[in-house]
mmCIF file of all heavy atoms in Angstrom:
data_model
loop_
_atom_site.group_PDB
_atom_site.id
_atom_site.type_symbol
_atom_site.label_atom_id
_atom_site.label_comp_id
_atom_site.label_asym_id
_atom_site.label_seq_id
_atom_site.Cartn_x
_atom_site.Cartn_y
_atom_site.Cartn_z
ATOM 1 N N SER A 91 -68.293 -34.300 -55.987
ATOM 2 C CA SER A 91 -67.246 -35.028 -56.701
ATOM 3 C C SER A 91 -67.062 -36.469 -56.239
ATOM 4 O O SER A 91 -66.385 -37.239 -56.902
ATOM 5 C CB SER A 91 -65.913 -34.287 -56.566
ATOM 6 O OG SER A 91 -65.534 -34.191 -55.199
ATOM 7 N N THR A 92 -67.620 -36.837 -55.094
ATOM 8 C CA THR A 92 -67.420 -38.191 -54.593
ATOM 9 C C THR A 92 -68.025 -39.220 -55.556
ATOM 10 O O THR A 92 -69.160 -39.077 -56.003
ATOM 11 C CB THR A 92 -68.061 -38.353 -53.199
ATOM 12 O OG1 THR A 92 -67.483 -37.406 -52.315
ATOM 13 C CG2 THR A 92 -67.848 -39.760 -52.665
ATOM 14 N N VAL A 93 -67.238 -40.241 -55.850
ATOM 15 C CA VAL A 93 -67.697 -41.343 -56.700
ATOM 16 C C VAL A 93 -68.250 -42.447 -55.809
ATOM 17 O O VAL A 93 -67.571 -42.887 -54.872
ATOM 18 C CB VAL A 93 -66.543 -41.889 -57.566
ATOM 19 C CG1 VAL A 93 -67.010 -43.099 -58.371
ATOM 20 C CG2 VAL A 93 -66.014 -40.808 -58.492
ATOM 21 N N ILE A 94 -69.470 -42.878 -56.084
ATOM 22 C CA ILE A 94 -70.101 -43.944 -55.302
ATOM 23 C C ILE A 94 -70.350 -45.127 -56.224
ATOM 24 O O ILE A 94 -71.001 -44.990 -57.257
ATOM 25 C CB ILE A 94 -71.422 -43.464 -54.674
ATOM 26 C CG1 ILE A 94 -71.156 -42.271 -53.747
ATOM 27 C CG2 ILE A 94 -72.102 -44.596 -53.905
ATOM 28 C CD1 ILE A 94 -72.415 -41.609 -53.224
ATOM 29 N N ILE A 95 -69.805 -46.274 -55.852
ATOM 30 C CA ILE A 95 -69.994 -47.507 -56.627
ATOM 31 C C ILE A 95 -70.709 -48.507 -55.738
ATOM 32 O O ILE A 95 -70.223 -48.852 -54.651
ATOM 33 C CB ILE A 95 -68.647 -48.088 -57.109
ATOM 34 C CG1 ILE A 95 -67.819 -47.027 -57.827
ATOM 35 C CG2 ILE A 95 -68.891 -49.280 -58.034
ATOM 36 C CD1 ILE A 95 -66.437 -47.507 -58.240
ATOM 37 N N ALA A 96 -71.853 -48.968 -56.182
ATOM 38 C CA ALA A 96 -72.673 -49.869 -55.362
ATOM 39 C C ALA A 96 -73.615 -50.634 -56.264
ATOM 40 O O ALA A 96 -73.690 -50.397 -57.471
ATOM 41 C CB ALA A 96 -73.466 -49.062 -54.332
ATOM 42 N N SER A 97 -74.346 -51.554 -55.675
ATOM 43 C CA SER A 97 -75.395 -52.245 -56.418
ATOM 44 C C SER A 97 -76.557 -51.274 -56.618
ATOM 45 O O SER A 97 -76.648 -50.242 -55.930
ATOM 46 C CB SER A 97 -75.865 -53.487 -55.661
ATOM 47 O OG SER A 97 -76.707 -53.119 -54.575
ATOM 48 N N PRO A 98 -77.461 -51.556 -57.551
ATOM 49 C CA PRO A 98 -78.599 -50.643 -57.792
ATOM 50 C C PRO A 98 -79.479 -50.416 -56.568
ATOM 51 O O PRO A 98 -80.242 -49.443 -56.548
ATOM 52 C CB PRO A 98 -79.379 -51.346 -58.907
ATOM 53 C CG PRO A 98 -78.376 -52.205 -59.604
ATOM 54 C CD PRO A 98 -77.440 -52.665 -58.525
ATOM 55 N N ILE A 99 -79.392 -51.283 -55.562
ATOM 56 C CA ILE A 99 -80.172 -51.078 -54.339
ATOM 57 C C ILE A 99 -79.914 -49.690 -53.773
ATOM 58 O O ILE A 99 -80.820 -49.004 -53.293
ATOM 59 C CB ILE A 99 -79.823 -52.153 -53.286
ATOM 60 C CG1 ILE A 99 -80.310 -53.532 -53.736
ATOM 61 C CG2 ILE A 99 -80.429 -51.803 -51.926
ATOM 62 C CD1 ILE A 99 -79.881 -54.661 -52.810
ATOM 63 N N TYR A 100 -78.659 -49.244 -53.858
ATOM 64 C CA TYR A 100 -78.241 -47.985 -53.253
ATOM 65 C C TYR A 100 -77.946 -46.894 -54.275
ATOM 66 O O TYR A 100 -78.117 -45.708 -53.978
ATOM 67 C CB TYR A 100 -76.990 -48.222 -52.393
ATOM 68 C CG TYR A 100 -77.107 -49.437 -51.510
ATOM 69 C CD1 TYR A 100 -76.504 -50.652 -51.858
ATOM 70 C CD2 TYR A 100 -77.857 -49.400 -50.338
ATOM 71 C CE1 TYR A 100 -76.636 -51.775 -51.059
ATOM 72 C CE2 TYR A 100 -77.995 -50.515 -49.532
ATOM 73 C CZ TYR A 100 -77.378 -51.711 -49.899
ATOM 74 O OH TYR A 100 -77.527 -52.823 -49.125
ATOM 75 N N SER A 101 -77.496 -47.266 -55.464
ATOM 76 C CA SER A 101 -76.980 -46.270 -56.406
ATOM 77 C C SER A 101 -78.028 -45.244 -56.821
ATOM 78 O O SER A 101 -77.732 -44.057 -56.948
ATOM 79 C CB SER A 101 -76.399 -46.973 -57.635
ATOM 80 O OG SER A 101 -77.400 -47.695 -58.336
ATOM 81 N N TRP A 102 -79.269 -45.672 -57.044
ATOM 82 C CA TRP A 102 -80.288 -44.742 -57.524
ATOM 83 C C TRP A 102 -80.582 -43.654 -56.495
ATOM 84 O O TRP A 102 -80.904 -42.514 -56.861
ATOM 85 C CB TRP A 102 -81.572 -45.476 -57.904
ATOM 86 C CG TRP A 102 -82.373 -46.016 -56.758
ATOM 87 C CD1 TRP A 102 -82.253 -47.242 -56.167
ATOM 88 C CD2 TRP A 102 -83.445 -45.355 -56.062
ATOM 89 N NE1 TRP A 102 -83.161 -47.389 -55.152
ATOM 90 C CE2 TRP A 102 -83.913 -46.237 -55.071
ATOM 91 C CE3 TRP A 102 -84.038 -44.105 -56.185
ATOM 92 C CZ2 TRP A 102 -84.949 -45.924 -54.202
ATOM 93 C CZ3 TRP A 102 -85.081 -43.776 -55.316
ATOM 94 C CH2 TRP A 102 -85.526 -44.682 -54.341
ATOM 95 N N ILE A 103 -80.458 -43.987 -55.215
ATOM 96 C CA ILE A 103 -80.729 -42.999 -54.167
ATOM 97 C C ILE A 103 -79.688 -41.878 -54.208
ATOM 98 O O ILE A 103 -80.021 -40.692 -54.143
ATOM 99 C CB ILE A 103 -80.754 -43.676 -52.782
ATOM 100 C CG1 ILE A 103 -81.929 -44.655 -52.705
ATOM 101 C CG2 ILE A 103 -80.848 -42.639 -51.666
ATOM 102 C CD1 ILE A 103 -81.994 -45.455 -51.429
ATOM 103 N N TYR A 104 -78.415 -42.269 -54.364
ATOM 104 C CA TYR A 104 -77.354 -41.254 -54.349
ATOM 105 C C TYR A 104 -77.294 -40.466 -55.653
ATOM 106 O O TYR A 104 -76.892 -39.302 -55.655
ATOM 107 C CB TYR A 104 -76.013 -41.919 -54.016
ATOM 108 C CG TYR A 104 -75.991 -42.371 -52.579
ATOM 109 C CD1 TYR A 104 -76.282 -43.691 -52.247
ATOM 110 C CD2 TYR A 104 -75.774 -41.467 -51.561
ATOM 111 C CE1 TYR A 104 -76.324 -44.103 -50.921
ATOM 112 C CE2 TYR A 104 -75.822 -41.862 -50.228
ATOM 113 C CZ TYR A 104 -76.093 -43.178 -49.917
ATOM 114 O OH TYR A 104 -76.155 -43.566 -48.602
ATOM 115 N N LYS A 105 -77.715 -41.074 -56.724
ATOM 116 C CA LYS A 105 -77.684 -40.372 -58.006
ATOM 117 C C LYS A 105 -78.876 -39.433 -58.181
ATOM 118 O O LYS A 105 -78.730 -38.291 -58.642
ATOM 119 C CB LYS A 105 -77.639 -41.367 -59.162
ATOM 120 C CG LYS A 105 -77.328 -40.701 -60.514
ATOM 121 C CD LYS A 105 -77.073 -41.724 -61.579
ATOM 122 C CE LYS A 105 -76.631 -41.065 -62.881
ATOM 123 N NZ LYS A 105 -75.272 -40.498 -62.791
ATOM 124 N N PHE A 106 -80.066 -39.887 -57.789
ATOM 125 C CA PHE A 106 -81.270 -39.126 -58.091
ATOM 126 C C PHE A 106 -81.885 -38.418 -56.882
ATOM 127 O O PHE A 106 -82.530 -37.390 -57.049
ATOM 128 C CB PHE A 106 -82.319 -40.034 -58.735
ATOM 129 C CG PHE A 106 -81.891 -40.604 -60.053
ATOM 130 C CD1 PHE A 106 -81.609 -41.948 -60.195
ATOM 131 C CD2 PHE A 106 -81.744 -39.783 -61.160
ATOM 132 C CE1 PHE A 106 -81.206 -42.489 -61.407
ATOM 133 C CE2 PHE A 106 -81.336 -40.299 -62.380
ATOM 134 C CZ PHE A 106 -81.066 -41.650 -62.503
ATOM 135 N N ILE A 107 -81.698 -38.964 -55.686
ATOM 136 C CA ILE A 107 -82.232 -38.302 -54.499
ATOM 137 C C ILE A 107 -81.237 -37.267 -53.986
ATOM 138 O O ILE A 107 -81.567 -36.102 -53.801
ATOM 139 C CB ILE A 107 -82.563 -39.321 -53.393
ATOM 140 C CG1 ILE A 107 -83.553 -40.383 -53.903
ATOM 141 C CG2 ILE A 107 -83.134 -38.597 -52.161
ATOM 142 C CD1 ILE A 107 -84.911 -39.859 -54.258
ATOM 143 N N TYR A 108 -79.980 -37.712 -53.783
ATOM 144 C CA TYR A 108 -78.954 -36.818 -53.242
ATOM 145 C C TYR A 108 -78.132 -36.131 -54.336
ATOM 146 O O TYR A 108 -77.302 -35.287 -54.034
ATOM 147 C CB TYR A 108 -78.035 -37.585 -52.300
ATOM 148 C CG TYR A 108 -78.759 -38.178 -51.117
ATOM 149 C CD1 TYR A 108 -78.606 -39.511 -50.772
ATOM 150 C CD2 TYR A 108 -79.615 -37.397 -50.340
ATOM 151 C CE1 TYR A 108 -79.272 -40.062 -49.687
ATOM 152 C CE2 TYR A 108 -80.284 -37.931 -49.254
ATOM 153 C CZ TYR A 108 -80.108 -39.261 -48.935
ATOM 154 O OH TYR A 108 -80.777 -39.790 -47.863
ATOM 155 N N GLN A 109 -78.334 -36.541 -55.564
ATOM 156 C CA GLN A 109 -77.745 -35.870 -56.731
ATOM 157 C C GLN A 109 -76.216 -35.900 -56.733
ATOM 158 O O GLN A 109 -75.559 -34.911 -57.055
ATOM 159 C CB GLN A 109 -78.266 -34.436 -56.819
ATOM 160 C CG GLN A 109 -79.774 -34.376 -56.999
ATOM 161 C CD GLN A 109 -80.323 -32.973 -56.968
ATOM 162 O OE1 GLN A 109 -79.586 -32.013 -56.801
ATOM 163 N NE2 GLN A 109 -81.637 -32.854 -57.105
ATOM 164 N N TYR A 110 -75.675 -37.047 -56.387
ATOM 165 C CA TYR A 110 -74.242 -37.284 -56.590
ATOM 166 C C TYR A 110 -74.086 -37.834 -58.003
ATOM 167 O O TYR A 110 -74.231 -39.029 -58.247
ATOM 168 C CB TYR A 110 -73.710 -38.263 -55.534
ATOM 169 C CG TYR A 110 -73.388 -37.586 -54.224
ATOM 170 C CD1 TYR A 110 -74.389 -37.290 -53.322
ATOM 171 C CD2 TYR A 110 -72.084 -37.213 -53.911
ATOM 172 C CE1 TYR A 110 -74.111 -36.642 -52.125
ATOM 173 C CE2 TYR A 110 -71.792 -36.572 -52.717
ATOM 174 C CZ TYR A 110 -72.811 -36.290 -51.834
ATOM 175 O OH TYR A 110 -72.525 -35.638 -50.646
ATOM 176 N N ASP A 111 -73.779 -36.949 -58.927
ATOM 177 C CA ASP A 111 -73.797 -37.296 -60.348
ATOM 178 C C ASP A 111 -72.755 -38.333 -60.731
ATOM 179 O O ASP A 111 -72.884 -38.993 -61.762
ATOM 180 C CB ASP A 111 -73.604 -36.042 -61.201
ATOM 181 C CG ASP A 111 -74.777 -35.072 -61.072
ATOM 182 O OD1 ASP A 111 -75.885 -35.553 -60.767
ATOM 183 O OD2 ASP A 111 -74.576 -33.861 -61.262
ATOM 184 N N ASN A 112 -71.704 -38.464 -59.930
ATOM 185 C CA ASN A 112 -70.652 -39.433 -60.253
ATOM 186 C C ASN A 112 -70.970 -40.839 -59.764
ATOM 187 O O ASN A 112 -70.130 -41.730 -59.838
ATOM 188 C CB ASN A 112 -69.313 -38.976 -59.665
ATOM 189 C CG ASN A 112 -68.752 -37.770 -60.394
ATOM 190 O OD1 ASN A 112 -69.051 -37.557 -61.568
ATOM 191 N ND2 ASN A 112 -67.965 -36.956 -59.707
ATOM 192 N N THR A 113 -72.162 -41.027 -59.230
ATOM 193 C CA THR A 113 -72.577 -42.360 -58.799
ATOM 194 C C THR A 113 -72.715 -43.284 -60.000
ATOM 195 O O THR A 113 -73.331 -42.913 -61.008
ATOM 196 C CB THR A 113 -73.918 -42.300 -58.050
ATOM 197 O OG1 THR A 113 -73.774 -41.438 -56.916
ATOM 198 C CG2 THR A 113 -74.347 -43.682 -57.586
ATOM 199 N N PHE A 114 -72.154 -44.483 -59.899
ATOM 200 C CA PHE A 114 -72.299 -45.477 -60.957
ATOM 201 C C PHE A 114 -73.728 -46.016 -60.948
ATOM 202 O O PHE A 114 -74.328 -46.170 -59.895
ATOM 203 C CB PHE A 114 -71.327 -46.642 -60.755
ATOM 204 C CG PHE A 114 -69.913 -46.347 -61.184
ATOM 205 C CD1 PHE A 114 -69.345 -45.107 -61.005
ATOM 206 C CD2 PHE A 114 -69.139 -47.343 -61.757
ATOM 207 C CE1 PHE A 114 -68.046 -44.832 -61.386
ATOM 208 C CE2 PHE A 114 -67.834 -47.099 -62.145
ATOM 209 C CZ PHE A 114 -67.287 -45.830 -61.956
ATOM 210 N N TYR A 115 -74.244 -46.303 -62.149
ATOM 211 C CA TYR A 115 -75.554 -46.964 -62.243
ATOM 212 C C TYR A 115 -75.538 -48.267 -61.436
ATOM 213 O O TYR A 115 -76.482 -48.599 -60.724
ATOM 214 C CB TYR A 115 -75.860 -47.249 -63.721
ATOM 215 C CG TYR A 115 -76.903 -48.315 -63.959
ATOM 216 C CD1 TYR A 115 -78.252 -48.031 -63.818
ATOM 217 C CD2 TYR A 115 -76.535 -49.605 -64.327
ATOM 218 C CE1 TYR A 115 -79.213 -49.005 -64.028
ATOM 219 C CE2 TYR A 115 -77.486 -50.586 -64.544
ATOM 220 C CZ TYR A 115 -78.823 -50.272 -64.397
ATOM 221 O OH TYR A 115 -79.767 -51.251 -64.598
ATOM 222 N N SER A 116 -74.448 -48.979 -61.551
ATOM 223 C CA SER A 116 -74.271 -50.249 -60.857
ATOM 224 C C SER A 116 -72.789 -50.568 -60.875
ATOM 225 O O SER A 116 -71.991 -49.884 -61.518
ATOM 226 C CB SER A 116 -75.075 -51.357 -61.554
ATOM 227 O OG SER A 116 -74.823 -52.611 -60.961
ATOM 228 N N TYR A 117 -72.409 -51.596 -60.148
ATOM 229 C CA TYR A 117 -71.015 -52.043 -60.179
ATOM 230 C C TYR A 117 -70.608 -52.513 -61.569
ATOM 231 O O TYR A 117 -69.430 -52.626 -61.872
ATOM 232 C CB TYR A 117 -70.787 -53.173 -59.181
ATOM 233 C CG TYR A 117 -71.936 -54.153 -59.096
ATOM 234 C CD1 TYR A 117 -72.214 -55.060 -60.119
ATOM 235 C CD2 TYR A 117 -72.789 -54.153 -57.995
ATOM 236 C CE1 TYR A 117 -73.277 -55.929 -60.060
ATOM 237 C CE2 TYR A 117 -73.864 -55.024 -57.919
ATOM 238 C CZ TYR A 117 -74.104 -55.914 -58.946
ATOM 239 O OH TYR A 117 -75.164 -56.771 -58.876
ATOM 240 N N SER A 118 -71.579 -52.777 -62.433
ATOM 241 C CA SER A 118 -71.261 -53.272 -63.776
ATOM 242 C C SER A 118 -71.044 -52.155 -64.791
ATOM 243 O O SER A 118 -70.684 -52.429 -65.932
ATOM 244 C CB SER A 118 -72.385 -54.188 -64.267
ATOM 245 O OG SER A 118 -73.609 -53.477 -64.332
ATOM 246 N N GLU A 119 -71.253 -50.892 -64.383
ATOM 247 C CA GLU A 119 -71.093 -49.800 -65.342
ATOM 248 C C GLU A 119 -69.616 -49.576 -65.653
ATOM 249 O O GLU A 119 -68.776 -49.439 -64.744
ATOM 250 C CB GLU A 119 -71.711 -48.509 -64.801
ATOM 251 C CG GLU A 119 -71.648 -47.375 -65.814
ATOM 252 C CD GLU A 119 -72.361 -46.119 -65.340
ATOM 253 O OE1 GLU A 119 -72.898 -46.126 -64.215
ATOM 254 O OE2 GLU A 119 -72.374 -45.136 -66.104
ATOM 255 N N ASN A 120 -69.299 -49.508 -66.917
ATOM 256 C CA ASN A 120 -67.911 -49.354 -67.368
ATOM 257 C C ASN A 120 -67.594 -47.868 -67.495
ATOM 258 O O ASN A 120 -67.754 -47.273 -68.549
ATOM 259 C CB ASN A 120 -67.715 -50.073 -68.702
ATOM 260 C CG ASN A 120 -66.257 -50.158 -69.096
ATOM 261 O OD1 ASN A 120 -65.373 -49.857 -68.303
ATOM 262 N ND2 ASN A 120 -66.000 -50.574 -70.321
ATOM 263 N N LYS A 121 -67.158 -47.274 -66.386
ATOM 264 C CA LYS A 121 -66.900 -45.846 -66.368
ATOM 265 C C LYS A 121 -65.578 -45.578 -65.663
ATOM 266 O O LYS A 121 -65.256 -46.216 -64.658
ATOM 267 C CB LYS A 121 -68.049 -45.120 -65.652
ATOM 268 C CG LYS A 121 -67.998 -43.614 -65.759
ATOM 269 C CD LYS A 121 -69.333 -42.979 -65.397
ATOM 270 C CE LYS A 121 -69.702 -43.159 -63.946
ATOM 271 N NZ LYS A 121 -70.915 -42.409 -63.578
ATOM 272 N N ASP A 122 -64.814 -44.635 -66.205
ATOM 273 C CA ASP A 122 -63.513 -44.305 -65.635
ATOM 274 C C ASP A 122 -63.672 -43.459 -64.379
ATOM 275 O O ASP A 122 -64.633 -42.692 -64.237
ATOM 276 C CB ASP A 122 -62.660 -43.542 -66.653
ATOM 277 C CG ASP A 122 -62.273 -44.422 -67.845
ATOM 278 O OD1 ASP A 122 -62.110 -45.643 -67.641
ATOM 279 O OD2 ASP A 122 -62.153 -43.888 -68.968
ATOM 280 N N ILE A 123 -62.695 -43.596 -63.474
ATOM 281 C CA ILE A 123 -62.655 -42.798 -62.255
ATOM 282 C C ILE A 123 -61.451 -41.874 -62.334
ATOM 283 O O ILE A 123 -60.326 -42.322 -62.565
ATOM 284 C CB ILE A 123 -62.547 -43.695 -61.007
ATOM 285 C CG1 ILE A 123 -63.740 -44.657 -60.940
ATOM 286 C CG2 ILE A 123 -62.489 -42.848 -59.744
ATOM 287 C CD1 ILE A 123 -63.623 -45.679 -59.828
ATOM 288 N N LYS A 124 -61.681 -40.573 -62.162
ATOM 289 C CA LYS A 124 -60.590 -39.618 -62.236
ATOM 290 C C LYS A 124 -59.659 -39.780 -61.041
ATOM 291 O O LYS A 124 -60.100 -40.055 -59.923
ATOM 292 C CB LYS A 124 -61.146 -38.193 -62.265
ATOM 293 C CG LYS A 124 -61.949 -37.867 -63.518
ATOM 294 C CD LYS A 124 -62.463 -36.437 -63.468
ATOM 295 C CE LYS A 124 -63.276 -36.116 -64.723
ATOM 296 N NZ LYS A 124 -63.812 -34.731 -64.688
ATOM 297 N N ASN A 125 -58.367 -39.614 -61.284
ATOM 298 C CA ASN A 125 -57.383 -39.680 -60.211
ATOM 299 C C ASN A 125 -57.667 -38.605 -59.170
ATOM 300 O O ASN A 125 -57.975 -37.462 -59.496
ATOM 301 C CB ASN A 125 -55.968 -39.482 -60.770
ATOM 302 C CG ASN A 125 -55.535 -40.648 -61.641
ATOM 303 O OD1 ASN A 125 -55.992 -41.774 -61.456
ATOM 304 N ND2 ASN A 125 -54.648 -40.384 -62.602
ATOM 305 N N GLY A 126 -57.552 -38.991 -57.909
ATOM 306 C CA GLY A 126 -57.773 -38.043 -56.825
ATOM 307 C C GLY A 126 -59.211 -37.917 -56.395
ATOM 308 O O GLY A 126 -59.518 -37.144 -55.487
ATOM 309 N N SER A 127 -60.121 -38.638 -57.040
ATOM 310 C CA SER A 127 -61.533 -38.555 -56.669
ATOM 311 C C SER A 127 -61.785 -39.245 -55.344
ATOM 312 O O SER A 127 -61.145 -40.264 -55.013
ATOM 313 C CB SER A 127 -62.407 -39.202 -57.750
ATOM 314 O OG SER A 127 -62.280 -38.535 -58.977
ATOM 315 N N GLY A 128 -62.707 -38.688 -54.572
ATOM 316 C CA GLY A 128 -63.174 -39.400 -53.399
ATOM 317 C C GLY A 128 -64.025 -40.576 -53.834
ATOM 318 O O GLY A 128 -64.848 -40.444 -54.741
ATOM 319 N N ILE A 129 -63.825 -41.735 -53.225
ATOM 320 C CA ILE A 129 -64.531 -42.952 -53.630
ATOM 321 C C ILE A 129 -65.176 -43.604 -52.415
ATOM 322 O O ILE A 129 -64.558 -43.713 -51.354
ATOM 323 C CB ILE A 129 -63.576 -43.961 -54.305
ATOM 324 C CG1 ILE A 129 -62.904 -43.336 -55.535
ATOM 325 C CG2 ILE A 129 -64.327 -45.231 -54.708
ATOM 326 C CD1 ILE A 129 -61.857 -44.236 -56.166
ATOM 327 N N ILE A 130 -66.413 -44.031 -52.581
ATOM 328 C CA ILE A 130 -67.088 -44.864 -51.582
ATOM 329 C C ILE A 130 -67.601 -46.106 -52.289
ATOM 330 O O ILE A 130 -68.316 -46.004 -53.288
ATOM 331 C CB ILE A 130 -68.264 -44.120 -50.915
ATOM 332 C CG1 ILE A 130 -67.760 -42.901 -50.132
ATOM 333 C CG2 ILE A 130 -69.024 -45.060 -49.985
ATOM 334 C CD1 ILE A 130 -68.876 -42.086 -49.510
#
């Protein structure tokens, strides 16, 4: 459930290697964050 927002340098690793699905593609992605979510 942790949301990770970062530049693409890091985001692809957490989304596709570690499979944190809530990782943003990039800081420019327009996506809502659910209240109470863990954020990095």
Side-chain angles (χ1 to χ4, degrees):
S91 61
T92 302
V93 176
I94 300 172
I95 308 176
S97 76
I99 292 174
Y100 314 100
S101 63
W102 72 271
I103 295 176
Y104 290 97
K105 191 171 186 71
F106 297 110
I107 303 295
Y108 299 130
Q109 298 175 359
Y110 278 80
D111 294 334
N112 289 334
T113 301
F114 281 37
Y115 160 78
S116 175
Y117 39 72
S118 61
E119 184 175 0
N120 190 10
K121 189 164 66 173
D122 293 328
I123 301 173
K124 294 180 180 179
N125 292 332
S127 298
I129 302 175
I130 296 177

